Amino acid sequence: MPKRKDIKKILIIGSGPIIIGQACEFDYSGTQAIKVLKKEGYKVVLVNSNPATIMTDPEFADATYVEPLIPEILEKIIEKERPEALLSTLGGQTSLNLAVKLYDLGILEKYNVELIGAKVDAIRRGEDRRLFKETMSNAGLDLPKSGFAYNLSEAEQIAKEVGFPLIIRPSFTLGGTGSKIVFNEEEFIEAAKNALQSSMISEILIEEYLNGWKEYELEVMRDKKDNCVIVCSIENFDPMGVHTGDSITVAPAQTLTDKEYQRMRDMAFKCIRAVGVETGGSNIQFALNPNNGRIVIIEMNPRVSRSSALASKATGFPIAKIAALLAVGYTLDEIPNNITKKTPACFEPTIDYVVVKIPKFAFEKFKPVVQNGQIVDKSYQILGSQMKSIGEVMGIGRTFKEALQKAIRELEIARYGLGADDTAQEKLVERLMSLSDENIEKQEFLKMVEYNLRNPNCDRIFNIRYGLKLGMSVEQISEFSGIDKWFIYQIKEIVDMEEKLKRLTDVEKKQKEKLKEVIVEAKEYAFSDKQLSYLLKIDEKEIVNLRLKNNLLPNYKVVDTCAAEFEAYTPYFYSTYDGVLARNSFKIDNVYKTQDLNYFNETLSFTKSKNKVIVLGSGPNRIGQGIEFDYCCVHAVMAIKEEGLEAIMVNCNPETVSTDYDTADKLYFEPITFEDVFNIYKTEEIISKIDKTKLLGVVLQFGGQTPLNISLKLKSFGVKVLGTQPENIALAEDRELFAKVLQKLKLPYPAHGCAKSYKEAIKIVQQIGYPVILRPSYVLGGRAMEIIYDEISLKEYLSRLFDETEQYTSGPSNVVIIDKFLEDAVELDVDAVCDDKDVFIAGIMEHIEAAGVHSGDSACVIPPVSLTQQQINTILKYIKLLAKEIKVKGLMNLQLAIKDGIIYILEVNPRASRTVPYVSKSIGLPIAKIAMKVMLGYKLKDLLKKYNFSQEKIFNLGYSTVKEVVLPFQKFANVDIVLSPEMRSTGEVMGIDKNFPLAYSKSQFAAGSNIPLTGKILLSFNNRDKQKGLKIAKQLVDLGFQLIATPGTQEFLTKHNIPCQKVNKISEGRPNIVDIISNHEVVLVINTPTGKGRSFSDGFYIRRTATVNNIPVVTTIEAAKCIVDAIKELKKNYNILTQKINFDVLPLQKWY
Amino acid sequence: MSDAILMLETGVYFKGKIFGYEDEASGEVVFNTGIMGYEEILTDPSYKGQIVVMTYPHIGNYGITYYDFESNKPQVEGFVVHEFSKISSNWQAKHSIEKILKKYKIVCIEGVDTRALTKYIRDNGSMRGIISSKEKDLKALYKKVQQVPTIVGQDLVKKVSCKKEYKPFVKDALNEQVDAFPLNENIFFDFTKIPAKYKVVVIDCGCKFNILRWLRVVGCDLVVVPADTSFDKILSYSPDGIFLSNGPGDPEGVPYVFKTVERLISYSVSSNIYLPIFGICLGHQMIALALGGKTYKLKFGHHGINHPVKNLKTQQIEISSQNHNFAVEMEEVDGKLYVRGNRDLEVTHINLNDYSCEGLRHKRLPIFAVQYHPESAPGPNDSKYLFKEFIDLMDKKFRLSFA
């Protein structure tokens, strides 16, 4: 069937801000869909509130709305754009839920919009657990024993019938929110209550917990003619019980017989047909009882998912693109396989390598509750049915071992593989190995290992290794952890290889051939040069040189969907040491031509005869370094391609657009470590010789901190770096060097010092005076950054960094940086592009929260609302001075603070910042692209002329944009939600409108918090804020709100004649403040914390309860002011008749 | 483990380690792209005369179950693998793969860059090869590989066909024929309880067990006969239908089989006897050759479980299990596809990867066949309906004779 001609315009809904459970994989899927639908001649309208995405670039969709993903706004857009169809299966759960809402509200019917991909019935059958269970059992498919409950007593009844252990899952939530495994009655009741609350429809499923069962996933595609194919099978390394998003997963499945796999495949087809997903992809999860092979269906997503992105990258089969084509009427046999060109897409990819995905966690960002110096509750680190990871990496290797070690390297957790890397823990294990089994310390350690295997956390993989090294058997570890013994055995082989390397004698090391062989053998298990250096006691540099001298660069093989059966045309590569020795001697005549070598090293044949530029990506998403950097990398690639050069991308994050093989001219799916990048560089040098081109260099400044960390080393090994040079980057990164720069330029900065010891730190603080802001050097996202108001906190902080012998105990650096904290200062972020001569300020962002909140967690506005022209001029002057001094070529980000009229320089980052995409979308200029072109030698002046843009324009935009962040506090019980210098937001949204209050309102709706127009508001100000709070309270009363407050605040307000009801503190009897919030009696909470939010204060409970109950909480006075202004503005636009706010919507293309 | 070499007839060689049995083995080198299913592949008689390269790098992970044996023993000449699993992990695993390979003296080499090897075969076609742990001298080995007979024209069927007739799923016969796998046992359901209504003679050219299981599942009462069984002998069973099995090698190498088929067909036509015939793989080629068709050798064959086959009648796609080196020639007449040489033979299925012939059906006679493997093992279950179609054909006979 050819494509549908009755549809002309298609609406696509994106997935909104990055949150745990829904990351940039949907930017990847959405971008693919938009590109292919436009190519097919459809008009595409996109709505997404997330400005950091590639898909919201104005050049992709025909009309791009960066607007809140709420029905009111969507109706406006539909009314305006009149699309014939809505494709909702590519924007994650957010998009699917919104589509169902629009259907239920009758909006789709009213405007005659057809849902394509999956219809509402199918979405419901897939999403609603009850319907899903019914559908599955009607189709004759096996499921875990279970029952549904709508209240506690029903729940208890079902628990009795099914028996413990149980898993409780609320219906209609995201990322497994609220689901929990319980082993006894007491746990059960608490968990059931929470789950009933978190379900959008107060429905929970109580289910047989499949303890120790194995978990599998299949990615299924279906077309209109009912052709079904499996794109990829995925086996979870972790057993059932660990959320798939938090599991290490492996593709393809490793331990199934073909008959078992085929049974699963048949079940998957029955499932997708019964659910009725008409076209597109679905992800179906299975559990398998390892003792008898019983297979049950766990769940299905009737849409493209995180696993689909992984499956696409793992196989080369672009699920989202194909799903979009199927949705408009094509069938699988009509779509060509892009990789082979000659074969159709209706086949099942087969792969000849192994893919390992490892999730990335950020537990260090969420401090556990501490009482009297003791950690009260560490359970938040244990992996369970609620997803907690914030990003992922994918390692590709010819074997599981190779893929696993590469993936660990990609995680950027300061490990160079599976151990053997000279860390403190490593030394401890080495020491314990030499002790007898009776040794108490060893036994204690083994007990801890067993505990960690039974209660998996993010370090479980290392615990497996420790267990093996200290004598646990493969079977024991498998029993403790529930992880299949095949995987454990593979890890054992890695550990055995370590031992083999360690045993190598000095004599053997001197035999060149022998050493060569051993290195390649270890390399086939993906041991890094660092690990080899540690194990062989040979300097890393020497190993690198030895490899270079002996032609021991890895082979690069193609991800081709077909295990080499057909020729592949897509330059998508992974490295392996398989065949490295063979490629030098495999012909009896010993005559080798380049095409012979291509059998082994396939990248050699992909020559384009163009000069080359290598772009380094940003690795796994994490807090502080996420999709924004991928956006920048993709723009860099686009710019390079526009200039007729070959763009070569290196990255290892399967969720991203940059790792789509369609994005760059060549993709290396590889770790971004010195070794891996250097190997690629050397290989590309060889190719340059073959196709007689130039390798222009490596681009470091778009990938966040990841490429910067290796920049100096790359340069020292002769790698050409484009743009600002590594030693100049260091000028800004190193606080001491940077202080010298500022002194030289005579620019104001807060009093500052660097301490290398506990004592020194105390001394510096005494000189500077409280409050101070402390942090270890070379960190991103304000890791371990804190504001300290008194000596007790200072000592506590320092004792965490230094041990008794004054040795620095955590992290790679050994310096603590101390700055004077500028209380109540206005903070600014500035992004600029510089060439040798000129500086272009792309955006000045004024933070809404005062200094002290990490810039990544603060809302901000463009253009700034409180700056004078003179201040702007000063900023411009400062930036020019700095750019010249640091010799910036490309992007530069500055953080400034204004206090008492003085503009202080806080920080300079001579690289792309988190705010680049937000700024680009605010002003309508692709500044990352421009920066890239500057790095390629173009003049900034000419580029701006080409884009018809001038410096003045950014000060006369005629509209306002606000960036707001989203925080993952709901996922972490028992952590305080107060904003601090430690960044913890996972994503961002943008509101755009004609003035600041409206843009701010939109940003709040987009971030998921409702700005109320009537009702009760709870106030609780700290003493410092009471005076400022007064004005806010008065305005709220004038706007018709009722106020309630905690005793101190209430007393204060009443004294100033503001009517306000009192509410009990927790210690003052019931109903207390927590009850009021839990009962949803208030519509907004304004609570400013006292500065130390670490104990179980009332404030902590207020904020926590409000967060859990989804009641908006404001924790700063500045944000409260904005909310008040927003309410005023919204009230003006409120239509009493329809009871709706009259929002204006406009696509980005029209704003500029 | 000792070093071993795989030497190809072109003088390209791969070094590795011997795994399993230490010896020398030669045959035609082909690659299989299936990820799972090595147990079925090892024991598939169609691989007689061939050294199989597995493109998936981890082989042996789930051990050997015996349930997945496709004949009574491993049949491949040699096995080339990137890495064999040293342990087995599956609840059904009875032995490690290593133990079975040693027991049945299968020579294997591991540690080979199987992707490079696969690409080489893809570009240069399947060719003769030899695996050896004995001969270390490359030149000597190169000489040896030139002595290996090519597969074209060879009769490999006689090596894998049963020596005398037997009734599968009947205990006595079983013991003699099958020493490893209890054919009447199925772990998922007991099909021996299903009534067997149709007498079917299976001409065994190297028949896979799963074909017998599926024929039994749909209701056939089976008698399996050696490939060289005479026309008269076959008729003496008064069959309701004839099944032509899969088998190894060049179809032209077994004229005695397709000539028997030819006689069966012409007899049924001349005597006006209704005799449904169903063929799979080599059986498909036998029907084509019996009715004037031609076969040709593919460059590197089809060996995998992911090939899309289009059913031209329903326009549906089946993901199929494939294992053949030869294909039936087609011709297009007025937009319709026929077996070249006989316009009574319509092409019913085509391979969407290379548009080769995957199925045929006689316009008037109850004869049909497919080149691929509806019995899968290994592979998808998309094409199981074909067994039902065979039954439907025999059903028609019932309707005729009782009308």
PDB file of all heavy atoms in Angstrom, chain A residues 870-883:
ATOM      1  N   GLN A 870      23.943  50.578  30.844  1.00  0.00           N
ATOM      2  CA  GLN A 870      25.326  50.727  31.262  1.00  0.00           C
ATOM      3  C   GLN A 870      25.900  49.385  31.719  1.00  0.00           C
ATOM      4  O   GLN A 870      27.035  49.031  31.389  1.00  0.00           O
ATOM      5  CB  GLN A 870      25.383  51.741  32.399  1.00  0.00           C
ATOM      6  CG  GLN A 870      26.758  52.336  32.567  1.00  0.00           C
ATOM      7  CD  GLN A 870      26.846  53.083  33.882  1.00  0.00           C
ATOM      8  OE1 GLN A 870      25.829  53.405  34.509  1.00  0.00           O
ATOM      9  NE2 GLN A 870      28.046  53.365  34.304  1.00  0.00           N
ATOM     10  N   GLN A 871      25.091  48.657  32.466  1.00  0.00           N
ATOM     11  CA  GLN A 871      25.542  47.345  32.936  1.00  0.00           C
ATOM     12  C   GLN A 871      25.813  46.423  31.760  1.00  0.00           C
ATOM     13  O   GLN A 871      26.793  45.694  31.748  1.00  0.00           O
ATOM     14  CB  GLN A 871      24.496  46.730  33.875  1.00  0.00           C
ATOM     15  CG  GLN A 871      24.556  47.342  35.277  1.00  0.00           C
ATOM     16  CD  GLN A 871      23.406  46.897  36.151  1.00  0.00           C
ATOM     17  OE1 GLN A 871      22.287  46.723  35.673  1.00  0.00           O
ATOM     18  NE2 GLN A 871      23.678  46.735  37.437  1.00  0.00           N
ATOM     19  N   ILE A 872      24.915  46.484  30.770  1.00  0.00           N
ATOM     20  CA  ILE A 872      25.110  45.650  29.578  1.00  0.00           C
ATOM     21  C   ILE A 872      26.426  46.006  28.899  1.00  0.00           C
ATOM     22  O   ILE A 872      27.190  45.123  28.496  1.00  0.00           O
ATOM     23  CB  ILE A 872      23.914  45.796  28.608  1.00  0.00           C
ATOM     24  CG1 ILE A 872      22.698  45.098  29.223  1.00  0.00           C
ATOM     25  CG2 ILE A 872      24.236  45.197  27.242  1.00  0.00           C
ATOM     26  CD1 ILE A 872      21.405  45.309  28.483  1.00  0.00           C
ATOM     27  N   ASN A 873      26.695  47.297  28.801  1.00  0.00           N
ATOM     28  CA  ASN A 873      27.945  47.719  28.179  1.00  0.00           C
ATOM     29  C   ASN A 873      29.158  47.207  28.941  1.00  0.00           C
ATOM     30  O   ASN A 873      30.146  46.777  28.344  1.00  0.00           O
ATOM     31  CB  ASN A 873      28.008  49.241  28.084  1.00  0.00           C
ATOM     32  CG  ASN A 873      26.983  49.766  27.092  1.00  0.00           C
ATOM     33  OD1 ASN A 873      26.473  48.993  26.268  1.00  0.00           O
ATOM     34  ND2 ASN A 873      26.651  51.039  27.184  1.00  0.00           N
ATOM     35  N   THR A 874      29.053  47.263  30.271  1.00  0.00           N
ATOM     36  CA  THR A 874      30.155  46.766  31.085  1.00  0.00           C
ATOM     37  C   THR A 874      30.383  45.283  30.811  1.00  0.00           C
ATOM     38  O   THR A 874      31.520  44.825  30.638  1.00  0.00           O
ATOM     39  CB  THR A 874      29.838  46.967  32.588  1.00  0.00           C
ATOM     40  OG1 THR A 874      29.415  48.311  32.767  1.00  0.00           O
ATOM     41  CG2 THR A 874      31.044  46.673  33.439  1.00  0.00           C
ATOM     42  N   ILE A 875      29.288  44.535  30.783  1.00  0.00           N
ATOM     43  CA  ILE A 875      29.398  43.097  30.533  1.00  0.00           C
ATOM     44  C   ILE A 875      30.094  42.841  29.197  1.00  0.00           C
ATOM     45  O   ILE A 875      30.999  42.021  29.086  1.00  0.00           O
ATOM     46  CB  ILE A 875      28.000  42.435  30.555  1.00  0.00           C
ATOM     47  CG1 ILE A 875      27.441  42.469  31.979  1.00  0.00           C
ATOM     48  CG2 ILE A 875      28.060  40.995  30.054  1.00  0.00           C
ATOM     49  CD1 ILE A 875      25.985  42.087  32.092  1.00  0.00           C
ATOM     50  N   LEU A 876      29.659  43.588  28.185  1.00  0.00           N
ATOM     51  CA  LEU A 876      30.239  43.445  26.849  1.00  0.00           C
ATOM     52  C   LEU A 876      31.749  43.701  26.901  1.00  0.00           C
ATOM     53  O   LEU A 876      32.548  42.959  26.310  1.00  0.00           O
ATOM     54  CB  LEU A 876      29.558  44.460  25.922  1.00  0.00           C
ATOM     55  CG  LEU A 876      29.677  44.175  24.437  1.00  0.00           C
ATOM     56  CD1 LEU A 876      29.072  42.834  24.101  1.00  0.00           C
ATOM     57  CD2 LEU A 876      28.970  45.276  23.643  1.00  0.00           C
ATOM     58  N   LYS A 877      32.114  44.710  27.639  1.00  0.00           N
ATOM     59  CA  LYS A 877      33.530  45.065  27.748  1.00  0.00           C
ATOM     60  C   LYS A 877      34.313  43.923  28.411  1.00  0.00           C
ATOM     61  O   LYS A 877      35.365  43.504  27.939  1.00  0.00           O
ATOM     62  CB  LYS A 877      33.656  46.358  28.574  1.00  0.00           C
ATOM     63  CG  LYS A 877      35.027  47.000  28.474  1.00  0.00           C
ATOM     64  CD  LYS A 877      35.091  48.308  29.271  1.00  0.00           C
ATOM     65  CE  LYS A 877      35.419  48.020  30.724  1.00  0.00           C
ATOM     66  NZ  LYS A 877      35.200  49.170  31.623  1.00  0.00           N
ATOM     67  N   TYR A 878      33.758  43.424  29.508  1.00  0.00           N
ATOM     68  CA  TYR A 878      34.417  42.339  30.242  1.00  0.00           C
ATOM     69  C   TYR A 878      34.630  41.124  29.343  1.00  0.00           C
ATOM     70  O   TYR A 878      35.688  40.514  29.322  1.00  0.00           O
ATOM     71  CB  TYR A 878      33.576  41.912  31.455  1.00  0.00           C
ATOM     72  CG  TYR A 878      33.593  42.891  32.617  1.00  0.00           C
ATOM     73  CD1 TYR A 878      34.325  44.080  32.562  1.00  0.00           C
ATOM     74  CD2 TYR A 878      32.880  42.615  33.779  1.00  0.00           C
ATOM     75  CE1 TYR A 878      34.320  44.959  33.622  1.00  0.00           C
ATOM     76  CE2 TYR A 878      32.872  43.493  34.853  1.00  0.00           C
ATOM     77  CZ  TYR A 878      33.591  44.666  34.772  1.00  0.00           C
ATOM     78  OH  TYR A 878      33.595  45.531  35.824  1.00  0.00           O
ATOM     79  N   ILE A 879      33.584  40.793  28.641  1.00  0.00           N
ATOM     80  CA  ILE A 879      33.656  39.586  27.806  1.00  0.00           C
ATOM     81  C   ILE A 879      34.745  39.736  26.746  1.00  0.00           C
ATOM     82  O   ILE A 879      35.518  38.822  26.490  1.00  0.00           O
ATOM     83  CB  ILE A 879      32.297  39.295  27.141  1.00  0.00           C
ATOM     84  CG1 ILE A 879      31.318  38.846  28.222  1.00  0.00           C
ATOM     85  CG2 ILE A 879      32.425  38.228  26.080  1.00  0.00           C
ATOM     86  CD1 ILE A 879      29.946  38.544  27.727  1.00  0.00           C
ATOM     87  N   LYS A 880      34.814  40.921  26.151  1.00  0.00           N
ATOM     88  CA  LYS A 880      35.824  41.132  25.119  1.00  0.00           C
ATOM     89  C   LYS A 880      37.229  40.969  25.691  1.00  0.00           C
ATOM     90  O   LYS A 880      38.086  40.336  25.081  1.00  0.00           O
ATOM     91  CB  LYS A 880      35.657  42.528  24.505  1.00  0.00           C
ATOM     92  CG  LYS A 880      34.590  42.518  23.429  1.00  0.00           C
ATOM     93  CD  LYS A 880      34.551  43.812  22.659  1.00  0.00           C
ATOM     94  CE  LYS A 880      33.511  43.690  21.547  1.00  0.00           C
ATOM     95  NZ  LYS A 880      32.964  44.999  21.162  1.00  0.00           N
ATOM     96  N   LEU A 881      37.422  41.529  26.877  1.00  0.00           N
ATOM     97  CA  LEU A 881      38.733  41.414  27.519  1.00  0.00           C
ATOM     98  C   LEU A 881      39.080  39.948  27.777  1.00  0.00           C
ATOM     99  O   LEU A 881      40.187  39.484  27.492  1.00  0.00           O
ATOM    100  CB  LEU A 881      38.727  42.168  28.856  1.00  0.00           C
ATOM    101  CG  LEU A 881      38.857  43.689  28.779  1.00  0.00           C
ATOM    102  CD1 LEU A 881      38.593  44.319  30.127  1.00  0.00           C
ATOM    103  CD2 LEU A 881      40.255  44.052  28.268  1.00  0.00           C
ATOM    104  N   LEU A 882      38.102  39.245  28.322  1.00  0.00           N
ATOM    105  CA  LEU A 882      38.343  37.840  28.662  1.00  0.00           C
ATOM    106  C   LEU A 882      38.593  36.985  27.427  1.00  0.00           C
ATOM    107  O   LEU A 882      39.499  36.157  27.394  1.00  0.00           O
ATOM    108  CB  LEU A 882      37.156  37.279  29.452  1.00  0.00           C
ATOM    109  CG  LEU A 882      37.117  37.666  30.933  1.00  0.00           C
ATOM    110  CD1 LEU A 882      35.751  37.396  31.520  1.00  0.00           C
ATOM    111  CD2 LEU A 882      38.192  36.906  31.709  1.00  0.00           C
ATOM    112  N   ALA A 883      37.753  37.183  26.414  1.00  0.00           N
ATOM    113  CA  ALA A 883      37.869  36.393  25.195  1.00  0.00           C
ATOM    114  C   ALA A 883      39.249  36.556  24.585  1.00  0.00           C
ATOM    115  O   ALA A 883      39.870  35.600  24.120  1.00  0.00           O
ATOM    116  CB  ALA A 883      36.791  36.802  24.202  1.00  0.00           C
TER     117      ALA A 883
END
